[in-house]
Amino acid sequence: MLLDGKKYAEAKLPELKERVSKLEKEPRLAILQVFGDDASDRYVQNKLKRCREVGIDTRLFYISPMVEQERIADKIRELNADPNITGIILQLPLPEHLDEHYLTNLIDPKKDVDGFTETNTGKLSLGQPGLIPCTAKGVIDLLDFYDIPLEGKDVLIINRSNIVGKPLAQLFLRRNATVTIAHSKTEHLKDKIKQADIVVTGVGIPNFLRYDDFEPGTVVIDVSINFVDGRMVGDVKKSSYGYLQTLGGLTPVPGGVGQCTVIALMENVIQIAETEGCPSLMRFQNMLNEEE
Ligand code: GUN
């Protein structure tokens, strides 16, 4: 079965448009992006296009690759203080002289649509409500869309990044799955892949896996976006798609998880805007934050 992210996105768009239309104020997403990174360009253009479709206004700020760190820090502080900005994204990766953790963590946790700040990361691992990283949320939403059961299942995540692997492990745990995180030093990876009910691969190597690496019935989620001769591919060898019938499910690249990530991002923006429009909920959240 093909786990079609595009189909999921098309099914969700009317609901998102409707939620935006009910807001008192147009939501606005600010994206800070380093100029000249091709992969970032593609991700960001995709985010901008979808946001426009549902009525989320966007502001794109290009950062020169030579910029001083404190200039970005000042911009983030300015956006934090701007009541017309609903959410902020600092597109990663950043050039080496910039400290990703320091800058990301300057974002007001209430505007942190990526869910990358210490506050939202902590809330996720404590099982508290907060803003959830978009790729991780998108993966779970896609599995739910196709009614794939998670409870009690053996899940193997081949990615230990803060952006994907770690938050995704937390979300699978919330759903009572049994989670293993694998990485470049993992031994007997092929055996672990054969044992898993669900494999999430985010290795970043084209053709890293092929259909006969998996037992029949395995659900395979490919979160990688690699470029080969300008073409977008994942980690799973393309000819594997001919063997879809032996797998429990496979996400294509493009048209798989990437689509769901953008939907999750827009849901986070709308969630913030809906909370802003409800003063009593805001007061309640502020009280909770003051107690922390
Ligand atoms: N780089 C690749 N994916 C992402 C993402 O989801 N958010 C940000 N900020 N940077 C990224």
Side-chain angles (χ1 to χ4, degrees), residues 103-286:
L103 289 170
T104 299
N105 207 44
L106 284 178
I107 296 173
D108 180 342
K110 290 200 239 43
K111 297 189 178 189
D112 171 25
V113 278
D114 270 323
F116 291 167
T117 56
E118 288 175 1
T119 301
N120 283 312
T121 306
K123 284 182 175 177
L124 178 62
S125 62
L126 292 169
Q128 296 297 312
L131 291 158
I132 295 173
C134 307
T135 302
K137 179 170 155 40
V139 167
I140 300 291
D141 290 342
L142 185 64
L143 290 165
D144 284 345
F145 182 68
Y146 281 96
D147 287 326
I148 293 170
L150 307 181
E151 185 158 305
K153 299 299 176 194
D154 283 321
V155 177
L156 177 69
I157 302 172
I158 318 174
N159 179 298
R160 59 172 156 181
S161 71
N162 294 333
I163 295 184
V164 179
K166 290 184 203 166
L168 188 52
Q170 296 290 351
L171 293 182
F172 275 119
L173 274 179
R174 275 192 190 180
R175 300 290 293 273
N176 298 322
T178 304
V179 186
T180 303
I181 298 188
H183 46 76
S184 53
K185 303 284 186 288
T186 296
E187 294 183 354
H188 312 300
L189 182 64
K190 295 265 162 170
D191 294 340
K192 289 182 169 65
I193 290 170
K194 291 245 185 252
Q195 283 156 14
D197 300 306
I198 300 171
V199 176
V200 180
T201 177
V203 175
I205 301 176
N207 302 335
F208 180 71
L209 296 170
R210 33 176 289 149
Y211 71 94
D212 52 5
D213 287 322
F214 308 102
E215 285 295 299
T218 308
V219 174
V220 182
I221 307 290
D222 192 343
V223 300
S224 278
I225 295 178
N226 311 303
F227 291 97
V228 176
D229 301 329
R231 264 185 332 111
M232 201 192 273
V233 297
D235 289 346
V236 181
K237 193 168 159 60
K238 195 86 175 175
S239 67
S240 310
Y241 293 172
Y243 295 83
L244 263 181
Q245 51 274 37
T246 72
L247 297 175
L250 175 64
T251 59
V253 181
V257 173
Q259 297 279 330
C260 311
T261 300
V262 182
I263 295 290
L265 166 68
M266 293 191 293
E267 283 189 298
N268 279 353
V269 176
I270 295 167
Q271 181 188 319
I272 297 170
E274 285 173 344
T275 316
E276 270 179 351
C278 178
S280 59
L281 187 54
M282 275 259 276
R283 268 202 303 280
F284 176 64
Q285 288 197 335
N286 287 340

Side-chain angles (χ1 to χ4, degrees), residues 74-93:
D74 285 342
K75 188 70 198 172
I76 293 172
R77 292 187 192 102
E78 182 191 314
L79 294 167
N80 281 342
D82 185 340
N84 293 319
I85 296 292
T86 316
I88 304 167
I89 287 177
L90 175 62
Q91 188 68 24
L92 304 176

Side-chain angles (χ1 to χ4, degrees), residues 48-59:
L48 296 176
K49 178 174 151 268
R50 283 296 197 194
C51 281
R52 278 185 221 115
E53 263 178 75
V54 303
I56 296 172
D57 189 26
T58 53
R59 293 284 185 271

